[in-house]
Amino acid sequence: MAAQRIVIGIDSSTQSTKALAVDAESGAVLGTGRAAHEVTTGEGRESDPAQWWRALTEAVAATGHAERAEAVAVGGQQHGLVTLDARGTPVRPALLWNDVRSAPQAAALRERWGAAEWVRRVGSVPGAALTVAKWAWLRENEPHRAEATTAVRLPHDYLTERLTGTAATDRGDVSGTGWWTPEGYDREILDLVGLDEAMLPTVLGPGRAAGTVRSGLPLREGALVAAGTGDNMAAALGLGLRPGQPALSLGTSGTVYAVTRGRPQDPSGTVSGFADALGNWLPLACTLNCTLAVDRIAALLGRDREEVEPGGGAVVLPYLDGERTPDLPYSAGLFTGLRHDTTAGQLLQAAYDGAAYSLLAALDDVLAGSGEEGAELPLLLIGGGARGTAWQHTVRRLSGRAVRIPEAQELVALGAAAQAAALLTDEQPDEVARRWRTAEGPLHAPLPRDTETLERIAGTLERAGALVDPPGGRAT
Ligand SMILES: Nc1ncnc2c1ncn2[C@@H]1O[C@H](COP(=O)(O)OP(=O)(O)O)[C@@H](O)[C@H]1O
Ligand SMILES: O=C(CO)[C@@H](O)[C@H](O)COP(=O)(O)O
């Protein structure tokens, strides 16, 4: 019998790091680890990259297989701006994807060339989330820190570099920066925002390793380190997505996406034209307010997250963090349509509906522009929220689609593990995930689409005007 080969997949997401030790042959999860991250509250959203590294070492050690793993890969939250000095030490905490302070810089970038030209170059219309807007914010607001920066990284690049000593990224994650084109870094954009290309990592092609684990780390020295990728691209690998198969992730962010063979082009800005971690594309729409916002509203209402009730005409736009889809970075949450007989459970259901609405509306755009057949395939529901009955039911009611809930947990970490395993077995990572049968799970039949609720939310958004889009910036 051949010796068991073990790989480790790491998901460094907004709220925590999760690590899975996986049998490269069968996909069996042999050990798991998790360590929480701190994210600032208030106006900005920041985390200390050194804390991600500590969380990674803790989570990897907790799998119980760190010393045996032959290959490892990191999937990381997208877009975050990590700024390092000449010693590789963070100049300041990372500005995260959901930090909307960079909205004015994003607007100025859009103004400069127009949405269509940005889409032609980098696939996406710059919003506050994109790294390019965050770097522009830093230069304007903390020029001394921008000056002190000698290297710019994404979260997964930073962690991969700490593992290997190599400054490398991949086409999936780099496609969310706003300065990468399929031909390489866009010099004109880098000039526009005053960033030297020498400060950026090398973009590795699919299937390439970033290097090997350095000595003195809590992993086996010399183990292979795959290129890693952004967390959504890693989940696409982890599910073994074939072109046209839609997925919806309910985590800190809500995301909807599909793998496509053609490059997405959406000048409206709803769908970002990301690359996947292989040679394809990953049109994706993302909301800022998903599980955390709904949980917060449940807490305000004094309810458990599952204590929802149907009925009533209330609408909740749960934009506690500002919002990205629709593009309302300065918005705050809005409750409307309350009556004497409105219950707390109905308000909580309305919060779920408000959070799911934009994702499902955007799903239609993701699929419409995808040019792929198979758009009627069941929606794969993943992320922490997919475990919740209220989330599952809301997605089924508002999508009118069949929904499959993979039994496998932690699809981002599994995707990273599949990428690591592919280095050992000479397969494609998505083939590895299909071999591991990661997308299998109960299939829920479609429910009739609740068009009344969808229309009520759409109408509220249309009429909400300055309440959700204050002319002078942040509402509160
Ligand atoms: N059983 C559950 N029901 C509903 N939501 C859940 C459940 N378990 C976890 N969650 C939600 O999942 C979220 C974390 O999801 P996750 O995908 O791990 O987030 P991220 O990757 O953004 O850090 C938490 O905010 C929590 O609200
Ligand atoms: O910004 C995006 C996608 O464009 C987010 O999806 C981030 O990648 C963060 O993901 P989670 O921590 O919520 O998984």
Side-chain angles (χ1 to χ4, degrees):
M1 211 175 77
Q4 185 180 43
R5 306 192 86 182
I6 298 174
V7 293
I8 290 185
I10 297 156
D11 171 11
S12 176
S13 289
T14 313
Q15 295 184 56
S16 62
T17 299
K18 300 150 231 182
L20 299 181
V22 179
D23 179 318
E25 180 55 36
S26 68
V29 175
L30 308 171
T32 64
R34 183 190 182 97
H37 300 163
E38 274 172 31
V39 180
T40 59
T41 53
E43 257 192 76
R45 293 286 176 274
E46 302 184 352
S47 286
D48 176 9
Q51 178 205 151
W52 298 334
W53 175 248
R54 286 194 298 275
L56 181 148
T57 56
E58 241 180 78
V60 158
T63 66
H65 293 275
E67 299 298 330
R68 280 193 59 203
E70 292 179 53
V72 51
V74 183
Q77 55 174 307
Q78 292 183 243
H79 313 301
L81 177 75
V82 179
T83 45
L84 305 176
D85 67 16
R87 287 171 307 149
T89 306
V91 166
R92 72 178 315 294
L95 298 169
L96 304 190
W97 61 278
N98 52 354
D99 190 324
V100 292
R101 285 176 295 176
S102 38
Q105 288 71 29
L109 291 170
R110 290 195 297 268
E111 187 96 334
R112 175 77 181 212
W113 285 334
E117 176 61 10
W118 279 97
V119 168
R120 188 187 69 73
R121 286 172 182 249
V122 298
S124 303
V125 181
L130 263 60
T131 329
V132 66
K134 299 191 183 299
W135 174 254
W137 181 91
L138 190 73
R139 293 235 315 157
E140 264 178 64
N141 291 278
E142 298 178 0
H144 59 292
R145 285 181 163 149
E147 277 299 311
T149 301
T150 60
V152 166
R153 302 285 182 262
L154 291 165
H156 110 261
D157 313 343
Y158 167 75
L159 294 167
T160 305
E161 191 168 356
R162 288 206 64 167
L163 285 169
T164 59
T166 313
T169 189
D170 88 300
R171 75 188 277 280
D173 212 5
V174 78
S175 71
T177 55
W179 52 57
W180 178 83
T181 76
E183 286 73 48
Y185 289 122
D186 186 315
R187 293 239 168 81
E188 262 185 294
I189 295 177
L190 295 180
D191 286 346
L192 185 63
V193 294
L195 183 60
D196 181 353
E197 188 175 343
M199 287 160 61
L200 295 173
T202 305
V203 183
L204 297 173
R208 295 270 311 280
T212 55
V213 172
R214 293 191 289 181
S215 66
L217 300 182
L219 275 155
R220 187 165 110 176
E221 185 181 347
L224 287 168
V225 182
T229 191
D231 57 1
N232 291 292
M233 294 79 193
L237 292 182
L239 288 165
L241 287 191
R242 292 187 194 278
Q245 165 68 65
L248 191 151
S249 170
L250 302 168
T252 314
S253 62
T255 58
V256 277
Y257 49 88
V259 171
T260 61
R261 279 162 283 219
R263 190 173 183 220
Q265 300 269 313
D266 178 15
S268 82
T270 300
V271 179
S272 298
F274 299 146
D276 75 353
L278 301 169
N280 287 320
W281 300 94
L282 197 77
L284 176 149
C286 174
T287 59
L288 288 194
N289 298 282
C290 194
T291 56
L292 276 184
V294 171
D295 282 356
R296 177 73 191 125
I297 290 170
L300 283 173
L301 294 168
R303 294 234 142 187
D304 178 83
R305 59 158 79 102
E306 297 294 358
E307 287 183 287
V308 290
E309 283 161 22
V315 170
V316 176
L317 301 180
Y319 304 157
L320 309 191
D321 273 328
E323 190 37 73
R324 170 162 156 193
T325 310
D327 182 24
L328 298 167
Y330 306 115
S331 60
L334 184 71
F335 281 57
T336 178
L338 275 67
R339 297 284 182 196
H340 277 288
D341 58 359
T342 306
T343 66
Q346 288 170 342
L347 284 178
L348 181 55
Q349 180 59 60
Y352 277 97
D353 292 348
Y357 167 83
S358 309
L359 285 171
L360 295 173
L363 172 62
D364 292 341
D365 296 331
V366 165
L367 294 174
S370 80
E372 298 292 345
E373 290 175 11
E376 286 313 311
L377 291 167
L379 187 56
L380 296 175
L381 193 61
I382 63 165
R387 285 177 234 156
T389 309
W391 273 116
Q392 293 173 5
H393 193 257
T394 302
V395 170
R396 291 175 66 201
R397 229 183 73 243
L398 297 187
S399 70
R401 300 176 68 99
V403 170
R404 190 185 295 283
I405 302 166
E407 253 153 30
Q409 304 285 315
E410 307 302 352
L411 272 307
V412 175
L414 261 185
Q419 198 190 45
L423 291 179
L424 303 179
T425 62
D426 216 16
E427 291 165 287
Q428 292 292 326
D430 58 335
E431 283 169 16
V432 172
R434 288 195 287 272
R435 186 160 60 67
W436 290 350
R437 300 179 180 277
T438 51
E440 287 185 0
L443 180 67
H444 299 269
L447 294 175
R449 200 168 193 190
D450 181 354
T451 47
E452 198 186 314
T453 297
L454 294 168
E455 281 164 16
R456 199 164 50 235
I457 299 171
T460 302
L461 263 170
E462 255 173 55
R463 292 191 306 274
L467 281 176
V468 288
D469 195 10
R474 212 175 149 88
T476 49

